[in-house]
């Protein structure tokens, strides 16, 4: 007999991107893809944008997919970029919306700085070509990578990162200096729960414990970048510090080569119930 945590209930993916940030599919397309992958609940987590949530919720109603309002925000600590996921946010919250406008403006300034560095490297890319790739309100390096490929400056999306715009490459530019604590506060005042996104990528224990002190609600334990050992390690931290766990595919689609990961990085409905319980007790 399978219990509540059985495989059949692991139909929740809490980390998905749409065209409103750097994903290839619209919210309606994501809902359809999620449905065809056997998912029942999804979290829309665009970078610095809430614009896809209402559309996804609308499609979710017709397709019987539960859509959780989410977001992925960037912060930095000691030159490390720390991504934080927010769930169950009030996406009409004024302070949140004002901050998103600011983050989106910072993104545009950074994209211009990156284009400037590329020009210095004798790559004649202009910002308008980059902005043609942007369908939503958050310009990011994936749009620059796509523009580099489209104009024949690199053969592939990955080459663009490896050669020019990836971390430590010659046209890399850091993001803004909002602390992880600021981001946790921003999400909390918008009524949401905050989670450390994909800590396996670059987050050390110091940062994790700093965020636990700052009131983070949980850790994204299940992510394509996490090995079984890392998953076990994060499960241990979650249990020891009474945190919540979350997980998802970090699906972007198309150029980012994750076309087949939908439905493979999942958590159970019981996990979402625990999130709702925590919100209720806040
Ligand atoms: P940005 O938010 O502008 O720094 O862009 C970061 C986004 O680019 C991430 O959310 C991923 O979607 C993608 N990305 C980051 N690093 C890489 C990489 N090394 N190769 C491919 N895609 C990447
Ligand atoms: Mn992304
Ligand atoms: Mn991220
Ligand atoms: Mn993401």
């Amino acid at each position: 007999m399978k219990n509540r945590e059985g495989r059949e209930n692991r139909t929740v993916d809490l980390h998905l991107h749409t065209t409103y940030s750097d994903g290839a599919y619209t919210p309606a397309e994501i809902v359809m893809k999620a449905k065809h992958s056997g998912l029942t609940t999804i979290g829309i987590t665009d970078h610095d944008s809430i614009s896809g949530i209402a559309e996804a919720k609308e499609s979710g109603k017709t397709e019987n997919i539960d859509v959780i309002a989410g977001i992925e925000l960037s912060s930095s600590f000691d030159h490390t970029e720390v991504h934080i996921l927010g769930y169950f946010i009030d996406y009409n919250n004024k302070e949140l919306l004002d901050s998103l406008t600011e983050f989106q403006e910072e993104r545009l300034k950074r994209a211009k700085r990156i284009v400037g560095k590329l020009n210095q490297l004798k790559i004649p890319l202009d910002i308008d070509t980059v902005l043609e790739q942007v369908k939503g309100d958050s310009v990011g390096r994936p749009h620059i990578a796509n523009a580099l490929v489209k104009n024949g400056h690199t053969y592939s999306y990955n080459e663009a990162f490896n050669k020019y715009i990836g971390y430590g490459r010659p046209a890399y530019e850091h993001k803004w200096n909002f602390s992880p604590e600021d981001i946790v506060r921003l999400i909390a005042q918008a009524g949401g729960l905050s989670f450390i996104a994909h800590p396996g990528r670059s987050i050390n224990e110091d940062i994790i414990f700093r965020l636990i002190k700052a009131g983070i609600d949980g850790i994204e334990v299940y992510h394509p970048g996490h090995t079984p050992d890392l998953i076990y390690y994060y499960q241990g931290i979650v249990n020891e510090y009474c945190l919540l766990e979350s997980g998802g595919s970090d699906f972007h689609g198309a150029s980012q080569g994750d076309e087949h990961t939908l439905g493979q990085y999942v958590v159970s409905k019981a996990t979402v119930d625990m999130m709702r319980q925590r919100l209720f007790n806040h």
Side-chain angles (χ1 to χ4, degrees):
M1 196 178 79
K2 294 220 169 92
N3 63 17
R4 240 152 65 87
E5 292 289 329
R7 286 289 321 166
E8 78 275 19
N9 278 322
R10 295 178 72 91
T11 55
V12 181
D13 184 331
L14 294 174
H15 194 153
L16 303 169
H17 294 274
T18 79
T19 40
Y20 284 99
S21 63
D22 54 4
Y25 298 105
T26 64
E29 287 167 342
I30 289 281
V31 167
M32 287 314 294
K33 282 187 171 284
K35 187 174 179 169
H36 291 139
S37 309
L39 297 170
T40 60
T41 305
I42 59 172
I44 298 293
T45 54
D46 276 312
H47 301 281
D48 304 317
S49 173
I50 50 87
S51 303
I53 296 172
E55 243 175 270
K57 278 189 178 279
E58 205 48 46
S59 304
K61 254 184 228 153
T62 342
E63 303 300 333
N64 201 22
I65 298 287
D66 190 13
V67 174
I68 294 170
I71 194 148
E72 182 171 14
L73 299 173
S74 303
S75 64
S76 62
F77 171 61
D78 256 6
H79 307 292
T80 301
E81 202 171 303
V82 182
H83 289 188
I84 297 183
L85 294 159
Y87 292 115
F88 297 102
I89 47 167
D90 166 12
Y91 50 102
N92 292 312
N93 177 267
K94 178 156 188 327
E95 191 178 334
L96 177 65
L97 295 180
D98 288 349
S99 297
L100 294 183
T101 305
E102 190 182 346
F103 299 157
Q104 289 161 10
E105 286 165 4
E106 291 292 333
R107 279 185 169 275
L108 180 59
K109 285 189 220 159
R110 171 173 171 258
K112 287 177 180 166
R113 294 202 304 273
I114 293 176
V115 167
K117 282 190 166 173
L118 287 167
N119 294 159
Q120 279 173 10
L121 295 166
K122 305 268 180 289
I123 296 165
L125 190 71
D126 60 68
I127 188 70
D128 290 338
T129 313
V130 172
L131 296 181
E132 278 166 23
Q133 301 292 321
V134 181
K135 301 188 194 97
D137 30 32
S138 281
V139 57
R141 285 180 291 161
H143 305 110
I144 299 175
N146 288 337
L148 284 169
V149 175
K150 187 161 180 247
N151 280 22
H153 301 302
T154 56
Y155 294 108
S156 70
Y157 174 90
N158 282 327
E159 191 195 1
F161 273 87
N162 294 337
K163 213 166 161 184
Y164 300 116
I165 61 176
Y167 181 76
R169 306 311 299 152
Y172 178 78
E173 271 289 308
H174 59 81
K175 276 197 191 137
W176 46 88
N177 284 321
F178 290 95
S179 73
E181 283 90 346
D182 286 344
I183 300 296
V184 169
R185 258 195 305 275
L186 180 65
I187 292 170
Q189 70 77 41
L193 297 174
S194 54
F195 286 70
I196 308 174
H198 46 66
R201 202 169 274 167
S202 58
I203 307 303
N204 62 31
E205 264 188 8
D206 285 353
I207 301 180
I208 293 180
F209 291 120
R210 187 176 147 154
L211 283 169
I212 293 173
K213 277 201 198 107
I216 198 99
D217 295 289
I219 297 178
E220 184 178 49
V221 173
Y222 308 95
H223 183 275
H226 290 174
T227 59
D229 278 357
L230 267 183
I231 290 174
Y232 185 72
Y233 167 66
Y234 295 131
Q235 282 171 336
I237 297 181
V238 161
N239 290 333
E240 192 168 342
Y241 293 90
C242 297
L243 303 173
L244 296 167
E245 60 174 31
S246 73
S249 60
D250 207 353
F251 180 79
H252 290 74
S255 52
Q256 299 207 22
D258 56 5
E259 206 56 65
H260 304 291
T261 60
L262 263 192
Q264 288 186 37
Y265 298 89
V266 281
V267 293
S268 68
K269 287 187 180 183
T271 299
V272 179
D273 291 342
M274 280 161 77
M275 290 166 79
R276 288 203 164 99
Q277 192 74 43
R278 185 152 177 140
L279 273 176
F280 190 71
N281 293 329
H282 251 200

